[in-house]
Amino acid sequence: MPVAHVKAGSAAGKRKAIRIGPARRIAEELRAQNERFSAAVENMSHGLCMFDAEERMIICNRNYIDLFRLDAKVMKPGIRFFDILQHSVDIGIASQSAEELYAVRKPYIDGAKPSTYEETLADGRIIVISHRPLTSGGWVSIYEDVTEQRRAEEELKEQHRRFDAALGNMSQGLLMYDADGKMIVRNQRFLELYKVTAADFPFGTTHRDALERLLELGIYTKIDVDSEVAKTEACLRAGKMQSTYRYLADGRTFLVVRQPTSGGWVVTFDDVTEQHRTEERMTHLAHHDTLTNLPNRSMFRERLDQALGEPKVAPLAILSLDLDRFKAVNDTFGHPAGDWLLKCVAERLRRCLRSEKDVAARFGGDEFAVIQSDVRGAADAEKLAKRIVEVIGKPYRDKGREMHVGVSLGIALYPGDGEDADTLLTNADLALYRGKSEGRNIYRFFEPGMDAMVRERRALEADLEAALPRREFELDYQPILDIASGDIVGAEALMRWRSPSRGLVSPQEFIAAAEETGLIVQLGDWALRKACSAAAGWPRDVRMAVNVSAAQIKSGSFARSVISALAFSSLPASRLELEITETVMMDESDTVLRTLGQLRELGVRIALDDFGTGYSSLGYLRRFPVDKIKIDRSFIHDLDKRDTAAVVRTVIGLGIELGITVTAEGVETEAQLDMLRKAGCGEAQGFLIGMPAKAPEMSRLLRSREKLRQSG
């Protein structure tokens, strides 16, 4: 303080210090207070402006100037309040005129009462103004920008509105529990799903109370409430979501999901009855054949892997099944009938099983498979195989039609024939393949070396496919005798395959393979054209007989192939004889009917080959009039037997009665020929009549016979 520097010996100095010291202290204190006030005002988070009774500004802080974007040079103490308003209008911050703004504030100024009101600026900001009158006149105003606060409040309101709307429109039921485990939120959908009232589940209900109430109302079937509560609490402690299916007494299924939150948990309830049923159906469809409802290949493999994965695997057998003659039935009666037959086969196969552990499956088409469990040796598997052959082989009758199929089986035994699923299935297929190659309606056990036969068949198919472009096929011609006149009236074209690596391959070896691979259509077309060209050079009364497969007839283009072959060779249609089997005759499809009709209109003759070895229904002859019946060589071979001779005479008599030529195949002795002559048979062919020969040899034979006839 300055007082400390006055000399002690000076009385005047002492008096001066006493006079000046308090005033300076007051001034210093006032200055310090002003500095503190200014600092406080400048550091306020809000804007502040003070006016005297004359409405002149005493002081304002920087926040006030910044809040209203005012010019600091203008905002000097003493400026009138109205001028400030005008300044705000001039700079574009105010949304009204200075007069309008002043008119709004004047009541607050005159009222001399504390008040708070809002003002929205031109830029959209919202300012809250707190008006406080001063006792000496004038007032002080505090200004706060609440734009973000208002926006947050609106957003919160919107969130609440959306939350309420979401709760009200959810497809799921919802309950929310607080940290004390009491229900604090419940939507209407929950009440609707469970068909209960709000009174049944008031706010404050605990999880345990809710479960017990649902049991009490008979909505849930019996559940362990203590266990359910304990599981839920454990999941919540672990912070994990919990989901479970609830099965209601009325048959519905709910998916209940509990999700922990920061202060409790939320539970949702979803009616998944249809979805659950659909999933069950989809799961069933994924593992079962849609036609027969038997397990499919996938399910079969799963059950086989499961059986082989047991700690102690019991002996078992794998049976691979393939229907015999199913294709003929399917082609004859149509696919709907074929589907009906497959369902019947599946049901019969299911009845053949002896244990619930046994599995019958359909792999597709006419392929089936069986797992026979607890097999006590090959005898058990053989017993089942015999039963299946017997049961499946019985006739099937539907809508007055009788259908016949057989079944071939291949059997592999665990563990002798394989210790894994792939090996067992492969070996069962190999045994099946062997059985089908040896005949039909039989079963075969797997034997080592069977795979060599499969490799040979595949090699045969590969060579067969390459043989046609390499011109390895030939035709031989076997003469046909008119028994009464002794003249050669025709010849049958017989296909031969002369392979460079295999030598001469008989039709019995390659025709079946050609039919399975589809190559028979190309081979048949080639043979037809070749045979017609050869016959064109023969005497005009000699016919050419050509065998036709069912695949050719059903191809849809066979009639065009015949027309093309006749046109190319200039052979009259009346001299062409097409030999078809009863398999074709059985087929009543539009394609077959149309094709046979077109051929007859052309004048081509139709012969029914191998009569008596297939289904031999006289109805075929009524629906498809043929020109010729050919008695199979097996009947002629046993012609010395009384029963066989009676059958042959009956067929010949039938032909005579219907006006159909009858040709006997496989005639090898004079005795056979003489008996056929006496029975009235029209034609014969076989080694006695003539051996199959090449086209030039056949031409020489026919010319020589014609010369003898002319000379006679």
Side-chain angles (χ1 to χ4, degrees), residues 5 142 151 164 169 261 300 478 500 558 579 650 677 680 711:
H5 298 284
I142 305 296
R151 184 177 294 116
D164 292 340
N169 292 280
T261 63
F300 183 89
Q478 186 172 35
F558 182 64
E579 297 187 2
T650 300
R677 182 184 292 109
S711 62

Side-chain angles (χ1 to χ4, degrees), residues 201 206-218 220 223 225-226:
F201 293 88
T206 65
H207 180 212
R208 177 184 294 276
D209 294 338
L211 291 175
E212 290 177 346
R213 183 60 174 155
L214 289 168
L215 283 171
E216 180 185 338
L217 293 171
Y220 277 167
I223 59 174
V225 174
D226 291 336

